Amino acid sequence: MRTPGILIFGLVLAPCGWILNLTSTVAPNWRTIHSLTDEPQDLVVEQGIWDICRTFTTSRAQQCNQRSNDQTYFDHQIISVAQGMMVASLIVTAVGLAVATPGVRCWRDNPRWMLASLGGLLISCSGLLTIIPIAWYTHVLTSINSVSVKRDPAKADDIRVGYCIVLGYIGGIMEVLGGFVMFLGICSCCGGRNRGEKPQTNTGRATFKPTPIPRVNIPSNYDSSSEGSSIPYSIKSVDDDLDFPRAKPRDIGTINKSYTGRPYDADL
């Protein structure tokens, strides 16, 4: 029997979401700062939760490991919270996949719905652990203090959302959806009863099929009236007995003497 579709759906979305969350966690691009004061115009500061990089758009040169130069940014509360929750999300997703994998019916006749549902619940929780810090970071995006942000009253700060925020949102949503769909397997309406997966029960009644009688082919040149035949009558005599008496064919030379010699309708 085929693997249930809800398990396939969850096991496809969960690893994809985990990869996106891993990229969002380690990449230093949660936000970017452009048009810095007293800095070259092609300089872009990329800030993540673990590191800061300075990138020059003209020469494509990049300088990372700038964390020690901007400790003000890493002292913000959201940074420490995001670090802990993103790492916890990666760990919980891996544990959820390890629990859900034995529950899938790839090598069994029936899936282990309890294991698959428990794994789906863990995967959904890991997605929430990703979405919460990313949503919080997006809310306070422009209010996080940093050495790179000069706060010039005459010029607005050009702070933009980095690609890590986008990847984190997508990965978290994929994990929540995949885990929730797998968790639906714990419900009785989705436990295999509506997909033709109900186990078959043996009633103990034996079913007998009639054995077909082999057909005997009689040769066309076979003479049933021969002396060596074991049949005491011929095929013609059988046909005569099964037919109506008045409809029997008469031999040539016989005379019908009944009813004053008048012929029957069958004799005409």
Side-chain angles (χ1 to χ4, degrees):
M1 300 176 69
R2 62 183 179 86
T3 302
I6 58 176
L7 298 183
I8 297 176
F9 183 81
L11 290 179
V12 169
L13 289 186
C16 295
W18 186 85
I19 294 175
L20 295 179
N21 292 340
L22 178 63
T23 305
S24 176
T25 302
V26 300
N29 200 297
W30 282 54
R31 74 172 184 175
T32 58
I33 304 174
H34 302 259
S35 302
L36 286 85
T37 305
D38 300 331
E39 294 288 350
Q41 292 297 321
D42 62 339
L43 176 62
V44 177
V45 177
E46 301 174 351
Q47 295 178 334
I49 60 177
W50 302 100
D51 197 6
I52 296 177
C53 295
R54 296 167 61 90
T55 304
F56 295 91
T57 57
T58 304
S59 61
R60 299 295 181 180
Q62 188 176 39
Q63 300 174 359
C64 294
N65 299 324
Q66 302 292 320
R67 178 170 181 168
S68 59
N69 299 332
D70 197 351
Q71 194 62 35
T72 304
Y73 170 79
F74 289 98
D75 289 340
H76 198 278
Q77 181 182 7
I78 183 57
I79 303 302
S80 58
V81 173
Q83 290 176 350
M85 296 189 73
M86 293 299 291
V87 173
S89 174
L90 296 175
I91 296 175
V92 173
T93 303
V95 174
L97 288 174
V99 173
T101 300
V104 181
R105 192 178 54 186
C106 293
W107 52 86
R108 293 171 48 88
D109 293 336
N110 296 313
R112 297 178 179 177
W113 288 107
M114 292 301 298
L115 284 179
S117 301
L118 179 60
L121 180 62
L122 293 175
I123 294 172
S124 296
C125 294
S126 67
L128 294 177
L129 290 176
T130 300
I131 295 176
I132 291 174
I134 289 181
W136 187 4
Y137 189 97
T138 306
H139 179 69
V140 298
L141 183 70
T142 58
S143 61
I144 302 176
N145 295 324
S146 175
V147 175
S148 302
V149 180
K150 303 299 181 180
R151 303 295 180 185
D152 189 359
K155 184 179 180 181
D157 299 324
D158 188 4
I159 302 176
R160 305 176 186 177
V161 175
Y163 64 83
C164 290
I165 298 295
V166 179
L167 295 181
Y169 271 124
I170 297 175
I173 293 174
M174 291 176 68
E175 289 182 352
V176 170
L177 290 178
F180 178 73
V181 170
M182 294 179 64
F183 180 72
L184 290 179
I186 200 173
C187 301
S188 59
C189 61
C190 298
R193 299 180 182 179
N194 297 334
R195 293 190 303 277
E197 298 170 4
K198 187 175 181 180
Q200 299 180 355
T201 57
N202 187 9
T203 58
R205 297 180 179 179
T207 303
F208 298 97
K209 295 183 178 180
T211 303
I213 301 175
R215 180 178 179 181
V216 179
N217 296 325
I218 302 176
S220 59
N221 57 355
Y222 176 76
D223 186 5
S224 59
S225 61
S226 60
E227 297 179 356
S229 175
S230 61
I231 302 175
Y233 50 86
S234 63
I235 298 177
K236 182 175 181 301
S237 63
V238 175
D239 294 339
D240 294 342
D241 293 340
L242 294 178
D243 203 353
F244 293 98
R246 297 180 61 184
K248 292 181 180 180
R250 300 295 180 179
D251 296 334
I252 300 174
T254 59
I255 300 175
N256 185 6
K257 299 181 181 180
S258 64
Y259 197 66
T260 65
R262 297 178 61 183
Y264 292 104
D265 294 340
D267 298 333
L268 296 179

